[in-house]
Amino acid sequence: MRETEPDFSDDLRLLKDAAIEAGSRALAYFERGQVPSWEKYPGHPVTEADLAVNNMLQERLMSARPDYGWLSEETAVTRRTQLKDTVWCIDPIDGTRAFMSGEPYWAIGVSLIQNGQAVCGVVHAPALGETYVAETGKGAWLNGQRIFTSNRDEEDGCRMIASESMLTHPAWKVPWPRLELARPKPNATLLRMCWVAAGGWDATLALWRKSDWDLAAGSIIVSEAGGIASTHLGEPFIFNRSEPAQRSLIAAGKQLHPLLVERVKGVRLPDPNWTVRPYEKTNVTEPKPMADMPDSKQLLHLVIGGELKNVSGVEFEDLSKIDFIGAFPNYKAAYDAWKSAAQSTVDNAEMRYFILHAHKLLDPETGSHHHV
């Protein structure tokens, strides 16, 4: 006998209704084609549909719950949001590139975060006819049917959604075993996570920074389907921190997940929250010594980037192709420039940007070392 959906909370019902309404609006743009678009910053497109859906969801959800905070890809992070313990987390259209190119692999992602954890979420893919919902303790569901992650317990033969160039990179000390890869790989992270939750794929892996709105709805759906979604180090996600982002993603069933963590945990990736904004409300973060430097003192910070020889190291492939972003007088200014540059490397794990804090200058003419 088919299992029926449980009695979901008012918040989840509100989310689901809003996501379906937003999906109808987005689908109208999608079917029309040639939606006006532009770049928010290099490598990150946004369309008129993204903003229309964002505004519709904000009006619908915030009018119903005015005491909740708001965290969205298309809305600037504010002090009001960061100081809230209960926050709507929204990706108006996850998979904007697919949306723009006429491919159906995009979705509306909406979730509710309480005290850093996603407690319910909806991923609605109207062009695919798929609606995923989940709430803590009530399971994960696709179009009204209960779903579960796969029970695969070995890497060999794993059905994986990940970048093929990343998996075949020669830097891996132990080559990956035989994998069945998704071709083409869907652009929408939330869809990848939902496909893992539904058991059609065994795992998805991204060894680069992901924003909270890329992950929150998918994380509760994977968890309630019996799987685990975490960073590549196996760290649980903590959402709505000062910088609403995570260092990476692994989502898989409970038996496969630790095997994948063991394989990739040597890859060094920064926690986006090793430095925080002044109004950060939690101490759950890595040390932040440089962030405390007074802005009044002019200290040289260089922001540079390039393709690495090894994803787990810091040696550049070709020094002649180093991308010099700029020189900045304090860490905060350098961090803003780094963030903009780093976000352009979403689908290239080897391309990395860094902040170089120059604490000593050498004058070749005199041989003097100047400490700054």
Side-chain angles (χ1 to χ4, degrees), residues 170-196:
W172 293 105
K173 294 180 179 178
V174 179
W176 284 80
R178 178 182 59 88
L179 301 173
E180 179 185 338
L181 298 179
R183 298 187 180 95
K185 173 173 60 69
N187 178 234
T189 302
L190 289 173
L191 270 182
R192 300 178 202 174
M193 297 176 75
C194 286
W195 290 358
V196 170

Side-chain angles (χ1 to χ4, degrees), residues 24 28 87 93 132-133 170 176 185 188 212 223 248 253 256 264 277 285-286 312 315 321 324 330 337 348-349 368:
S24 296
V87 180
I93 298 179
Y132 300 84
V133 300
W176 284 80
K185 173 173 60 69
D212 284 1
S223 176
S248 53
L256 180 61
V264 303
R277 294 187 178 89
T285 176
E286 291 185 7
S312 64
E315 184 180 357
K321 295 181 180 179
F324 177 72
N330 56 64
N348 187 347
S368 299

Side-chain angles (χ1 to χ4, degrees), residues 40-44 209 303 325 334-345 353:
K40 293 178 288 187
Y41 39 85
H44 285 254
R209 172 191 171 116
V303 179
I325 301 300
Y335 176 80
D336 288 340
W338 169 85
K339 178 180 176 182
S340 178
Q343 287 175 330
S344 69
T345 66
Y353 283 85

Side-chain angles (χ1 to χ4, degrees), residues 46 56 79 85 169 188 221 235 240 255 266 320:
V46 64
M56 183 242 107
R79 178 183 177 88
D85 291 326
H169 197 282
I221 292 170
E235 305 159 313
N240 196 35
Q255 294 173 295
S320 69

Side-chain angles (χ1 to χ4, degrees), residues 237-260:
F237 294 136
I238 302 174
F239 297 118
N240 196 35
R241 293 186 293 174
S242 176
E243 187 64 25
Q246 313 295 324
R247 70 172 99 221
S248 53
L249 164 68
I250 290 180
K254 286 184 177 177
Q255 294 173 295
L256 180 61
H257 183 272
L259 303 180
L260 297 176

